[in-house]
Amino acid sequence: MSRALILIGPPGAGKGTQAKRLMDRLRIPQISTGDMLRAARAAGTPLGLQARKFMDSGALVPDEIVIGLIDERLREPDCSSGFMLDGFPRTLPQAQALDALLGKLGRKLDAVVLIEVDEEPLVARLSGRRTSKVDGRIYHVVTDPPPPGVEVFQREDDREEVIRERLAVYRRQTEPVIGHYDEQGLVRRIDGSGSVDEVTARIDRAL
Ligand code: AMP
């Protein structure tokens, strides 16, 4: 089974949900630059404050910031048996920096899992998304409502106008990253429609 993985796909494709499931099964850490940036914001660090204005408008945070985060994170001991990158790389310079970093660390990628979903359902998925304050589990107000008593919150950037901008940013800046990994023969295309379990099963088959 593959160990060094990237999960890529438009916002709302289910990367975070699938990453958490894969992490439990493969026993490798999920590394989400979005989660790391949100934690930095919540902690009020200078980096978090710097990232804030980009995130709230749906724009990408500058490459050097996220590359620095990943550089530090991949050197942590828990990454020695593998890792799953969720939401990184999102630009060609980030992908090139990752190639260089992995070369330096003497590692290589096993696969890039691309979760493909049509754009229309994404807006509905994201605008109904809620996250548990307790364990970060992701719910949806209509299709997967949180049980009574579980406190949830809505991400700032899951408002409709910001969602549209994030989708445009994905098309413009992140889609070229897929071509980069196609050239390396690493991309596994997964149909992201249907239930969470169906998508998990497709990913399992593809790996
Ligand atoms: P996510 O939780 O992955 O959807 O990320 C939320 C937001 O964090 C994005 O809309 C960006 O503003 C920022 N972000 C997360 N990962 C990256 C990245 N690899 N490059 C630039 N910005 C990022």
Side-chain angles (χ1 to χ4, degrees):
M1 182 84 67
S2 301
R3 291 286 161 200
L5 305 174
I6 291 178
L7 274 181
I8 198 166
K15 294 187 297 296
T17 302
Q18 296 297 335
K20 287 192 173 65
R21 291 184 157 208
L22 278 168
M23 171 177 73
D24 291 339
R25 273 212 308 291
L26 302 179
R27 302 192 179 288
I28 55 177
Q30 169 202 12
I31 300 176
S32 157
T33 41
D35 285 349
M36 292 164 91
L37 291 167
R38 278 184 291 277
R41 279 178 65 157
T45 68
L47 188 146
L49 296 177
Q50 215 186 328
R52 178 178 194 143
K53 61 176 184 298
F54 299 102
M55 296 172 80
D56 284 350
S57 66
L60 293 182
V61 168
D63 286 334
E64 53 282 11
I65 292 184
V66 287
I67 291 167
L69 285 173
I70 288 292
D71 187 299
E72 265 183 39
R73 184 65 186 87
L74 289 185
R75 294 170 195 273
E76 298 279 330
D78 67 331
C79 291
S80 60
S81 58
F83 52 81
M84 187 178 1
L85 297 174
D86 158 17
F88 180 93
R90 263 177 154 101
T91 66
L92 269 183
Q94 289 178 24
Q96 288 154 352
L98 179 65
D99 286 348
L101 174 63
L102 293 176
K104 235 179 345 186
L105 298 174
R107 319 222 26 175
K108 66 186 194 20
L109 290 170
D110 294 294
V112 175
V113 175
L114 168 62
I115 305 183
E116 297 182 301
V117 188
D118 290 338
E119 215 165 276
E120 252 339 284
L122 292 178
V123 179
R125 275 200 199 184
L126 288 167
S127 53
R129 175 159 76 178
R130 299 292 183 275
T131 308
S132 161
K133 287 187 183 173
V134 182
D135 60 3
R137 187 193 183 290
I138 295 155
Y139 294 96
H140 189 280
V141 288
V142 178
T143 59
D144 182 18
V150 172
E151 267 197 87
V152 294
F153 65 93
Q154 180 176 32
R155 279 172 47 171
E156 295 271 339
D157 57 354
D158 281 345
R159 285 173 294 122
E160 179 153 351
E161 58 294 3
V162 184
I163 292 169
R164 302 240 174 240
E165 175 58 18
R166 288 164 61 207
L167 290 169
V169 164
Y170 177 79
R171 277 196 304 271
R172 205 164 55 228
Q173 292 181 269
T174 306
E175 280 188 348
V177 173
I178 300 164
H180 176 83
Y181 290 120
D182 262 332
E183 283 169 18
Q184 302 180 18
L186 290 172
V187 181
R188 313 268 184 278
R189 290 182 159 73
I190 305 291
D191 172 4
S193 66
S195 71
V196 174
D197 286 338
E198 281 167 340
V199 177
T200 304
R202 289 180 198 127
I203 294 175
D204 278 345
R205 279 198 297 275
L207 291 178

